[in-house]
């Protein structure tokens, strides 16, 4: 079952959190959910070359907080903050509330599954060999500290008449271990032949609970009462 479940959804409330954090009921829930889709679409339109990976949305009475994780925050902000001001104005018009925008920099973009998948998809669209693109992404991720990475591409690879599936893996990618910090992303490359699916799993290490860390820290230490 582990191979069929989204690794991020599988670990929610264990070492992952929701991208949308708010509460609503009935029709209001449907409206706010579709509004989240429009917010993410608008942010990506304003940040085409900024390497935006994740957009978190929190809602409060009278305002909403949007946190944008970007590999190139300078491009996202724009000269003298022009781009970010226009983005905030468009978001406030869409939501109808005050918007707090928080920009966070992604320090290691080669260890972000979404950015890696988008990079590979872009190379496939530029007719770069899929094996070469996959191997280069794996090398860069391992070099930046990833403990394991798996990349899978599926479709008419290299313009072949029959679709097939190819994958490469380096290191460990434990899908069933809940404490494992697995970053996962899925995207598509739209080539002249057809669409090619790109999946990326990146294993960044284990996330231990505070209680487990304290037990490990005190192992072998005798405390007299």
């Amino acid at each position: 079952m582990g191979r069929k479940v989204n690794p991020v959804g599988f670990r929610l409330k264990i070492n992952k959190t929701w991208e949308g954090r708010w509460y609503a009921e009935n029709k209001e829930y449907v409206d706010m959910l579709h509004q989240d889709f429009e917010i993410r679409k608008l942010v990506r339109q304003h940040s085409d070359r900024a390497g935006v990976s994740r957009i978190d949305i929190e809602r409060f009475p009278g305002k909403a907080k949007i946190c944008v994780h970007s590999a190139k925050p300078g491009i996202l902000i724009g000269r003298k903050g022009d781009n970010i001001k226009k983005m905030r104005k468009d978001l406030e018009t869409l939501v109808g509330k005050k918007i707090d925008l928080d920009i966070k920099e992604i320090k290691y973009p080669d260890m972000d599954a979404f950015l890696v998948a988008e990079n590979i998809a872009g190379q496939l669209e530029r007719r770069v060999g899929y094996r070469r693109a996959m191997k280069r992404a794996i090398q860069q991720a391992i070099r930046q500290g990833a403990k394991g990475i798996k990349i899978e591409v599926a479709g008419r690879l290299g313009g072949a008449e029959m679709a097939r599936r190819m994958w490469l893996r380096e290191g460990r990618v434990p899908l069933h271990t809940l404490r494992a910090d697995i970053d996962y992303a899925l995207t598509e490359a739209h080539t002249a032949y057809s669409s090619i699916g790109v999946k990326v799993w990146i294993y960044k290490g284990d996330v231990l609970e505070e209680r487990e860390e304290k037990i490990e820290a005190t192992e072998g230490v005798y405390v007299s009462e």
Side-chain angles (χ1 to χ4, degrees):
M1 285 298 293
R3 297 189 179 188
K4 304 179 186 71
V5 177
N6 187 304
V8 177
F10 195 42
R11 290 165 175 79
L12 281 176
K13 212 177 178 182
I14 297 172
N15 55 26
K16 300 288 183 183
T17 186
W18 289 263
E19 292 187 6
R21 295 184 287 277
W22 44 266
Y23 178 79
E25 291 182 348
N26 302 327
K27 189 177 182 299
E28 186 183 3
Y29 171 83
V30 177
D31 295 339
M32 291 171 73
L33 181 64
H34 284 281
Q35 194 178 81
D36 278 9
F37 295 149
E38 293 297 322
I39 288 171
R40 292 191 171 94
K41 184 179 177 182
L42 194 148
V43 171
R44 294 195 183 280
Q45 286 175 352
H46 281 273
S47 54
D48 189 29
R49 296 177 293 107
V52 173
S53 170
R54 179 183 169 113
I55 302 166
D56 294 335
I57 301 171
E58 289 185 81
R59 297 178 188 271
F60 305 96
K63 72 172 183 177
K65 181 180 178 181
I66 299 173
C67 182
V68 182
H69 298 260
S70 171
K72 300 174 183 176
I75 295 176
L76 183 61
I77 294 168
R79 185 173 294 178
K80 296 182 180 179
D82 292 340
N83 192 32
I84 206 76
K85 288 176 184 174
K86 188 175 186 306
M87 188 193 300
R88 182 183 282 111
K89 185 178 178 181
D90 292 345
L91 287 170
E92 288 178 349
T93 304
L94 175 65
V95 178
K97 295 180 180 179
K98 183 183 176 183
I99 297 293
D100 287 345
L101 263 179
D102 186 14
I103 310 297
K104 291 189 177 180
E105 182 183 4
I106 299 171
K107 293 183 179 180
Y108 304 106
D110 290 325
M111 285 180 62
D112 187 284
F114 182 82
L115 296 181
V116 172
E118 283 287 313
N119 182 30
I120 293 172
Q123 291 184 61
L124 294 177
E125 289 173 354
R126 296 193 301 272
R127 299 189 178 184
V128 175
Y130 65 93
R131 284 184 182 275
R132 182 180 176 187
M134 293 164 69
K135 286 181 179 178
R136 185 182 298 169
I138 288 173
Q139 289 171 0
Q140 290 173 344
I142 296 296
R143 193 179 299 122
Q144 288 204 347
K147 293 194 174 183
I149 177 172
K150 178 182 174 182
I151 301 174
E152 182 180 289
V153 292
R156 293 182 61 184
L157 303 175
E161 290 187 8
M162 185 176 290
R164 65 184 190 275
R165 188 184 305 270
M166 295 289 294
W167 60 271
L168 293 176
R169 184 179 64 195
E170 182 82 22
R172 290 177 61 238
V173 184
L175 298 179
H176 291 267
T177 308
L178 289 175
R179 66 175 178 274
D181 185 6
I182 302 277
D183 194 10
Y184 170 78
L186 165 65
T187 188
E188 287 185 356
H190 301 286
T191 66
Y193 304 104
S194 66
S195 294
I196 296 176
V198 182
K199 292 181 179 180
V200 176
W201 296 259
I202 298 179
Y203 172 46
K204 301 179 181 179
D206 290 347
V207 178
L208 300 175
E209 295 181 3
E210 292 183 6
R211 182 172 171 274
E212 290 181 6
E213 291 177 351
K214 288 178 182 177
I215 291 172
E216 288 180 1
T218 56
E219 274 184 356
V221 178
Y222 174 74
V223 180
S224 60
E225 295 182 359

